[in-house]
Amino acid sequence: MFQYDKSRIDTKRRAGLDYKRKQFATPTYKQQEYVHRLNFYEIPPTAEITLEQFEQWAIDRLRILSELEACSYRNKTPAETAAHITPLLQKFLPLHSNTASSSGVDQRLKDERQKDHYSHFILRLAFSSTEDLRRRFVRLEAMLFKFRFQQDDSKERRAFVESLNFDWDILADEEKQELGESLLNATPGLKRTDDEGWFKVDWERVPELVERKGILVKKGKAYVPLREQLSMILAEFNARLEKALEFTSRALPRLDEDDRLIPILDHLSKNFGTSDTSYTDGEGAVPGAAINAASVDALSRHFPLCMRNLHMQLRKNAHLKHFGRLQYTLFLKGIGLSLEDCLIFWRQSFRNINDDEFNSKYRYNVRHAYGDVGGDANRRGRGYPPYSCQKILTDNAPGAGQTHGCPYRHFSVDNLISLLQATGVNDRETLQGVREDVAKTRYHIACNRVFEYVHKDDLKKAKDEGIMNQADLDTIVHPNTYFKRSYQLKNLGKLSKADVEMTT
Ligand code: SF4
């Protein structure tokens, strides 16, 4: 399943092989032993895992990377990012230090580290195909590594860094004295050169430090104080990962024939940022809520802008075109509207046509979406899943007279702002943020920004009262998640923490 590196074949075994029969020998591989919590991902995985683990582990890691990306898009401070990401890491990709176990690196720690290790390599396969994906992946993996590095136990961190055997030159005392003044002048905040240990490296290896003019560069060498060790490690992490990804991208065509992995990898790379892989059938429903044909009007205040727009258009025109009907029907199914009520809802909404026309033109499509008629055997009885943001954002842009799609993506900015104002979003800062998000094509971030503005008091209350924590409030990437979270937040009085956990 994974690429192997010939240089990792045990050298003693290699020496002992009969040269003529070597080509028929079974190679043995170096196994990662997970002595350290942190990982530079130098050794590709070699053990077998199931296809389910392959997909699930990758999805869990992708979720973390997408959340880190959302935090950086929203300009969250390091403290806010830590508060957001810590519970999600605990839930999806925990990685405890050795001190967390009294019996050393026990099976639980090994399992966590294996998942971290393998999921990184699976996503390498998914995100090595284009330069844009490679760049984003390196950036987010470096953020994750940095976050974990800073959280690590200091003794374990030191042992990990030592294990990496970096070939950094330690600056000799004589050279340090020689450079004295120049070192002090070029290194902000330093009073005496002997307060610090120093490394000497080629300047290209620490571009970030060179760029922020925080170190002395002389004759191609950068002089880096010990406290900037993290920058050096990150530069090394980035450089190695960039190289490895290019290597992987060249090897990718060889995977083309693997029809088990290619669809999974393809799906993962398409969902980078707005992963919809975590949505399961029935997940958007809110047990106990009164959801029927007559309550859709009232419930529509909890709908995201895409569905709110469809609802408003339907009320205005007593009609929606095919793709709008399909997008909206699947969403309504997702919030828990029964087929019978959905048929009543559409029949009443198309008030300008008679029963015969409704039955001949529209009834079948609604039943089909619910899986009541037609479809393949897999979908019978279930129909199609509600569309995710990813699908709405990328599939089938609306043409003239069509109302499906995502307003953040498919409306002009002026029309988008007017629609937001019509739904009660008038806050100048939020609208400005939306304009900026949309300009940078971060549509789902704009949608989450609006959600947070509209629900800011309820969000505060839910957190203060411990009904929801950060792990329940990850970035919304599905219209049905938007509805459900909105509904729950506006009905906090009726909910307990257990209700939220049961339904998220
Ligand atoms: Fe709907 Fe998603 Fe667009 Fe929000 S980002 S309006 S939920 S498609």
Side-chain angles (χ1 to χ4, degrees):
M1 186 174 291
F2 291 99
Q3 193 68 35
Y4 72 87
D5 172 357
K6 289 198 185 84
S7 65
R8 289 168 42 238
I9 298 174
D10 188 298
T11 46
K12 282 195 202 122
R13 185 180 164 85
R14 186 199 294 264
L17 287 173
D18 174 344
Y19 174 75
K20 286 184 193 141
R21 295 169 64 196
K22 198 161 66 175
Q23 58 183 313
F24 302 113
T26 308
T28 56
Y29 304 109
K30 190 168 158 190
Q31 294 279 2
Q32 176 109 31
E33 284 171 1
Y34 305 123
V35 177
H36 306 286
R37 168 179 178 259
L38 297 168
N39 197 331
F40 240 53
Y41 310 108
E42 300 272 84
I43 302 175
T46 47
E48 284 191 13
I49 58 172
T50 66
L51 214 50
E52 286 72 33
Q53 285 172 321
F54 183 90
E55 186 167 20
Q56 191 56 51
W57 291 359
I59 288 169
D60 288 348
R61 189 179 198 90
L62 184 57
R63 194 163 184 151
I64 296 296
L65 297 186
S66 300
E67 291 297 336
L68 280 170
E69 189 168 58
C71 287
S72 85
Y73 284 170
R74 303 289 308 275
N75 294 326
K76 287 198 189 274
T77 62
E80 287 167 340
T81 302
H84 183 75
I85 213 74
T86 303
L88 295 170
L89 274 171
Q90 280 309 328
K91 191 165 169 182
F92 298 107
L93 209 56
L95 200 58
H96 289 93
S97 55
N98 295 353
T99 46
S101 155
S102 53
S103 50
V105 183
D106 59 15
Q107 197 52 45
R108 179 182 68 122
L109 294 192
K110 279 189 185 152
D111 289 346
E112 287 178 0
R113 291 170 193 189
Q114 188 194 28
K115 180 177 175 184
D116 175 64
H117 179 208
Y118 281 48
S119 61
H120 168 91
F121 273 91
I122 298 166
L123 291 193
R124 264 195 202 182
L125 289 174
F127 299 122
S128 60
S129 60
T130 69
E131 205 185 323
D132 177 51
L133 285 175
R134 290 198 289 272
R135 211 178 40 241
R136 285 172 72 192
F137 183 64
V138 171
R139 186 169 152 265
L140 296 172
E141 280 288 332
M143 280 174 77
L144 178 59
F145 179 84
K146 181 179 175 185
F147 181 74
R148 286 169 161 171
F149 188 90
Q150 288 168 325
Q151 310 280 318
D152 207 13
D153 173 271
S154 60
K155 235 163 95 192
E156 289 181 36
R157 184 165 58 198
R158 198 167 337 119
F160 168 70
V161 174
E162 279 166 17
S163 78
L164 295 171
N165 294 322
F166 289 132
D167 55 346
W168 297 339
D169 285 345
I170 296 178
L171 193 61
D173 282 349
E174 303 90 70
E175 197 176 354
K176 189 157 69 173
Q177 273 159 16
E178 238 172 70
L179 290 168
E181 277 296 296
S182 323
L183 273 181
L184 282 181
N185 294 341
T187 319
L190 200 72
K191 299 218 167 46
R192 290 155 42 97
T193 50
D194 22 332
D195 286 350
E196 291 266 3
W198 296 78
F199 298 108
K200 184 165 108 175
V201 293
D202 292 338
W203 73 268
E204 298 97 329
R205 294 175 69 171
V206 284
E208 192 207 331
L209 285 176
V210 174
E211 198 181 308
R212 68 173 144 98
K213 298 192 171 58
I215 47 165
L216 175 67
V217 180
K218 201 172 171 188
K219 294 186 184 160
K221 293 287 178 192
Y223 295 82
V224 187
L226 188 62
R227 68 191 141 110
E228 297 287 3
Q229 191 191 41
L230 175 57
S231 298
M232 288 173 65
I233 293 169
L234 280 176
E236 200 69 41
F237 182 88
N238 283 359
R240 291 188 193 187
L241 184 52
E242 276 164 17
K243 221 154 129 197
L245 282 168
E246 275 185 30
F247 179 79
T248 310
S249 77
R250 286 201 294 275
L252 266 186
R254 276 187 264 156
L255 260 183
D256 260 3
E257 304 203 344
D258 194 322
D259 50 13
R260 299 161 309 154
L261 302 189
I262 288 297
I264 299 176
L265 296 174
D266 205 40
H267 190 60
L268 289 169
S269 64
K270 282 199 181 120
N271 289 320
F272 199 178
T274 51
S275 166
D276 68 346
T277 37
S278 55
Y279 189 87
T280 47
D281 273 356
E283 190 180 316
V286 191
I291 291 177
N292 51 51
S295 64
V296 175
D297 277 321
L299 291 171
S300 69
R301 72 191 175 102
H302 300 295
F303 293 178
L305 205 57
C306 49
M307 305 302 168
R308 192 91 184 257
N309 176 50
L310 287 170
H311 191 76
M312 288 160 78
Q313 292 297 328
L314 178 62
R315 287 290 171 254
K316 186 167 144 212
N317 303 322
H319 187 263
L320 285 182
K321 290 200 170 183
H322 173 74
F323 288 115
R325 283 200 313 275
L326 185 58
Q327 181 176 315
Y328 198 28
T329 299
L330 293 173
F331 170 79
L332 292 173
K333 180 175 81 156
I335 72 172
L337 191 70
S338 68
L339 171 60
E340 292 67 34
D341 271 287
C342 197
L343 285 166
I344 296 169
F345 169 78
W346 283 112
R347 175 66 201 99
Q348 290 173 344
S349 301
F350 281 25
R351 58 183 183 273
N352 298 333
I353 61 171
N354 62 30
D355 282 347
D356 286 345
E357 189 176 352
F358 180 81
N359 289 338
S360 65
K361 280 193 181 166
Y362 304 110
R363 198 180 169 79
Y364 183 88
N365 282 352
V366 178
R367 290 180 61 204
H368 189 265
Y370 273 75
D372 194 44
V373 287
D376 59 38
N378 283 339
R379 297 263 159 229
R380 208 147 294 140
R382 290 190 297 136
Y384 292 90
Y387 290 168
S388 65
C389 295
Q390 178 67 22
K391 184 162 175 60
I392 296 172
L393 285 164
T394 54
D395 273 11
N396 197 9
Q402 292 182 313
T403 43
H404 65 275
C406 169
Y408 294 101
R409 163 138 206 192
H410 298 121
F411 276 30
S412 70
V413 175
D414 288 345
N415 286 348
L416 169 64
I417 299 297
S418 303
L419 178 61
L420 283 168
Q421 288 170 330
T423 61
V425 180
N426 288 303
D427 178 61
R428 192 193 283 226
E429 200 185 316
T430 305
L431 294 177
Q432 182 53 30
V434 166
R435 283 180 191 276
E436 287 164 17
D437 293 333
V438 168
K440 290 176 184 155
T441 70
R442 297 168 184 170
Y443 309 111
H444 73 293
I445 298 291
C447 184
N448 278 270
R449 185 186 293 280
V450 168
F451 182 92
E452 283 175 23
Y453 166 70
V454 172
H455 299 87
K456 63 177 182 306
D457 295 338
D458 304 308
L459 281 166
K460 184 172 179 320
K461 192 167 169 223
K463 282 190 209 165
D464 288 352
E465 294 181 7
I467 298 173
M468 286 182 181
N469 60 34
Q470 209 57 45
D472 305 315
L473 298 169
D474 50 352
T475 305
I476 295 170
V477 291
H478 200 292
N480 287 82
T481 311
Y482 188 110
F483 164 76
K484 181 173 181 173
R485 199 173 292 172
S486 172
Y487 183 89
Q488 288 180 325
L489 282 166
K490 292 289 176 198
N491 290 279
L492 279 178
K494 300 176 203 155
L495 281 180
S496 66
K497 169 84 185 135
D499 294 328
V500 174
E501 277 168 356
M502 267 173 62
T503 58
T504 49

